[in-house]
Amino acid sequence: MKENARRWSGYVCPDCRFVFRVPRDHDGTGIVCPSCRRMLRVPTADDTPPPLMEPARQDVSEESVSADGWKLKKRRRGKNAGGDHAWEQQPSSRGLLYRGEKRQMRLMLIGGATLLALILAGVFVSMRDGPPQAVVESHSEEDAAVAETSVDSVDPLLIARGDEVFLAEAEPLARQFLEATSVEEILPVVRAPAKTEPRIRGFYPDGKINAAGLSGFNLNNQVSIFDKVAMVMVRTGEYEDRLLAFVETPEGLKIDWESWVGWSELPWQEFTSSKPATGHLFRVVLSPVEYYNFSFGDESKWQSYRLEAPDRHYALYGYAPRGSVLSQQVRPPGDSKRVALTLLLKFPAGAESNTQVEIESLLAEGWVEGVDAP
């Protein structure tokens, strides 16, 4: 029993105050808070714990979906961030809300210590009595329906580069990518060219690319990191500000072409006209709605969502089984209204409507497919 307890450490998110536990062998590594999805660093035994409340800062972190489908808040790391706790020093919109509400902060200061002691006591008991698991254990009400949340860590190679080294390598790649006028020019800088080349050639049938150009790089002086992906804000030659995704690969740093163009397996018009009953990959911006009709008329069985195309020209209604793990996975986190996802979509057999589809599975959070995703 004591051996089981020693394999776990209790941890409190410095941003949203969510309490969870992580395996002891994760000390000193990066994880993601299961509640606010913020990048954190698990302290080691030699670290000095941070204060319960941080002083207000002027810099603001947004949690929104940009025009190209990225949630801007995820795993941010400032250009000049340094030290072992650099990940934990970026404020979030939730932290700013607490700091902005002075009255609520005073109440938190009064009751925080007592509440924290009670929660930590519960964590200790569960650590002592429960069997070891390779998951982060959740204790908040909003996560009560989720049985397990896997430990999520940042690629150490991206961290090891440092911002200056990363940006010095990334900017020439971005320029070559955005100034390429042919498929042959763009292939050397894209991720997984063996898989991506057929997609690019299908997207540009004549092999010619209308180059967007690069007029600005790292506009907000901030690199956002999530898993093996690093994102930088760029400005195209048409003065459009967008996030460009860089992926660490065995061949070095490369650019994710699919997320930039919002590539999907079928054109949306072809998908809605042919109504395939097998799953096809689509990049979407998802938001919860209440619409039930035809094959999905039973709202006790289905949860409905609005699925927008990356260019916002098309939209469908997507459905996942109500109360299922899949429905929990695709729902926007926290107070977010929309979230960018990569999904498998299909029409039900004998579909009466060409605007209602079933969400078969979640392939990726965001528009960058996982390393092993199809």
Side-chain angles (χ1 to χ4, degrees):
M1 192 69 67
K2 292 182 178 179
E3 177 62 24
N4 289 344
R6 284 196 297 268
R7 296 174 63 179
W8 292 89
S9 295
Y11 189 68
V12 182
C13 175
D15 185 12
C16 68
R17 321 315 302 164
F18 180 69
V19 180
F20 56 97
R21 62 177 184 171
V22 296
R24 186 63 63 85
D25 57 9
H26 281 68
D27 287 359
T29 64
I31 65 166
V32 171
C33 172
S35 175
C36 66
R37 307 299 298 168
R38 179 182 167 202
M39 189 64 228
L40 305 172
R41 176 185 180 277
V42 179
T44 64
D46 298 329
D47 289 342
T48 301
L52 287 178
M53 296 297 297
E54 295 183 7
R57 297 184 178 90
Q58 297 300 318
D59 50 334
V60 179
S61 173
E62 299 177 357
E63 183 176 13
S64 60
V65 178
S66 66
D68 51 344
W70 286 103
K71 285 205 305 179
L72 300 181
K73 179 183 171 183
K74 282 191 175 179
R75 289 46 166 191
R76 291 186 168 178
R77 181 173 54 146
K79 179 178 180 181
N80 298 320
D84 292 340
H85 298 280
W87 296 333
E88 298 189 8
Q89 293 173 349
Q90 296 298 328
S92 72
S93 57
R94 183 183 300 205
L96 289 171
L97 178 60
Y98 284 137
R99 290 192 291 270
E101 299 288 346
K102 295 182 179 180
R103 181 179 178 183
Q104 186 175 1
M105 187 173 72
R106 288 197 297 268
L107 293 176
M108 289 179 62
L109 287 172
I110 295 172
T114 302
L115 178 60
L116 181 61
L118 291 174
I119 296 176
L120 287 176
V123 173
F124 175 77
V125 171
S126 63
M127 290 169 59
R128 181 188 64 189
D129 297 334
Q133 305 171 4
V135 298
V136 174
E137 187 162 311
S138 171
H139 295 276
S140 73
E141 293 181 0
E142 61 190 35
D143 285 341
V146 182
E148 295 180 350
T149 303
S150 60
V151 174
D152 196 2
S153 59
V154 168
D155 187 351
L157 292 178
L158 285 175
I159 297 297
R161 287 175 185 269
D163 283 340
E164 292 185 3
V165 174
F166 167 79
L167 292 171
E169 183 177 348
E171 185 170 3
L173 291 177
R175 188 170 300 280
Q176 182 176 349
F177 179 82
L178 293 174
E179 294 181 355
T181 58
S182 68
V183 174
E184 286 71 25
E185 291 178 3
I186 205 172
L187 282 177
V189 297
V190 301
R191 168 195 180 198
K195 178 186 73 173
T196 306
E197 182 176 1
R199 298 178 176 183
I200 297 177
R201 293 194 180 279
F203 198 81
Y204 305 109
D206 59 0
K208 298 180 180 179
I209 300 174
N210 184 17
L214 179 67
S215 65
F217 184 78
N218 193 24
L219 301 180
N220 56 358
N221 292 323
Q222 187 161 267
V223 179
S224 302
I225 297 180
F226 177 62
D227 292 340
K228 297 180 183 294
V229 183
M231 292 166 286
V232 176
M233 186 69 72
V234 300
R235 178 168 294 160
T236 69
E238 300 171 348
Y239 297 98
E240 181 184 14
D241 295 346
R242 297 179 56 186
L243 284 168
L244 183 61
F246 297 83
V247 183
E248 188 70 61
T249 74
E251 294 76 30
L253 205 60
K254 300 292 182 180
I255 294 174
D256 189 78
W257 173 83
E258 288 91 339
S259 63
W260 177 259
V261 300
W263 183 87
S264 294
E265 195 171 351
L266 285 177
W268 284 63
Q269 285 181 311
E270 180 180 342
F271 181 64
T272 56
S273 61
S274 61
K275 299 181 184 178
T278 56
H280 287 74
L281 182 153
F282 282 86
R283 286 169 169 82
V284 304
V285 177
L286 176 146
S287 55
V289 295
E290 294 295 328
Y291 177 74
Y292 303 94
N293 207 344
F294 299 110
S295 301
F296 303 97
D298 187 353
E299 61 183 284
S300 66
K301 181 179 178 182
W302 299 102
Q303 178 63 56
S304 61
Y305 300 94
R306 177 179 171 85
L307 311 177
E308 287 186 272
D311 60 8
R312 303 294 199 272
H313 291 165
Y314 301 95
L316 298 170
Y317 293 103
Y319 298 84
R322 185 176 290 275
S324 66
V325 173
L326 176 60
S327 186
Q328 295 278 351
Q329 289 175 331
V330 301
R331 177 171 290 275
D335 297 330
S336 301
K337 303 301 182 183
R338 301 188 301 165
V339 61
L341 300 173
T342 304
L343 304 174
L344 278 185
L345 305 178
K346 66 178 182 180
F347 281 87
E352 300 175 70
S353 169
N354 65 349
T355 61
Q356 293 178 282
V357 298
E358 181 178 348
I359 301 174
E360 184 174 299
S361 63
L362 170 68
L363 294 183
E365 295 182 10
W367 289 352
V368 177
E369 297 173 58
V371 174
D372 298 323

